[in-house]
Amino acid sequence: MDRLLHLDRTLDALDPPAWAPPGADATPLVRTVHGLRQVPLRALRPADLRTLVSQQVALPYVLPLAVGLLLDEPMLDAYFYEGDLLLSAVDAPTSAWALFPDLREQLCKVITSLPDSAVSGLPRGSADNLARFVTHPEPLP
């Protein structure tokens, strides 16, 4: 499947059914995610991808886009801190990664090449999460 084939389409179009508008009492995060489903894939910014990946929304479409950015800049500061998109990606469920073994392998190579100084600047526990992703295709209990 060509991963770039659908860049002009939205997640609502690619990942049916389209979501109904959020309720009046919806949180800002829910409103954001609903809005991002209506944005063409090519217009999604790194912060948008981080939000969608961390919320596990339409991962078959957004995970390859996120990895594409991470292969070029693994410590990308998408919104909160350097490496936040990377940590969101490695926390994606194993089932999502099973769809993209080649991307997972490429990301593993990038992670193992990160300097210790980059990893040490991440939040507590991040080094363990990165190591788990590289060494264990299945999540640990």
Side-chain angles (χ1 to χ4, degrees):
M1 174 173 102
D2 184 351
R3 294 187 182 117
L4 304 178
L5 189 63
H6 304 296
L7 291 179
D8 290 325
R9 298 179 68 196
T10 67
L11 292 174
D12 268 351
L14 293 167
D15 184 42
W19 290 7
D25 61 344
T27 66
L29 177 59
V30 168
R31 291 183 184 285
T32 297
V33 171
H34 276 255
L36 291 175
R37 286 187 54 90
Q38 298 175 6
V39 174
L41 292 183
R42 81 170 60 256
L44 293 173
R45 300 165 302 166
D48 302 333
L49 293 171
R50 188 209 53 80
T51 298
L52 291 166
V53 170
S54 67
Q55 295 302 306
Q56 299 183 13
V57 174
L59 290 176
Y61 299 100
V62 298
L63 196 55
L65 297 175
V67 173
L69 294 176
L70 293 169
L71 295 178
D72 290 335
E73 190 178 345
M75 297 304 292
L76 176 69
D77 180 343
Y79 189 75
F80 291 114
Y81 51 85
E82 286 186 359
D84 58 353
L85 181 59
L86 175 63
L87 293 176
S88 292
V90 301
D91 283 340
T94 304
S95 58
W97 283 108
L99 299 172
F100 307 107
D102 58 326
L103 290 180
R104 187 182 188 289
E105 182 179 331
Q106 290 175 48
L107 190 58
C108 285
K109 288 179 184 176
V110 166
I111 291 169
T112 58
S113 71
L114 287 173
D116 289 341
S117 60
V119 175
S120 68
L122 294 171
R124 183 180 311 203
S126 298
D128 292 338
N129 288 352
L130 294 173
R132 174 200 45 80
F133 181 79
V134 169
T135 60
H136 297 33
E138 297 295 324
L140 296 175

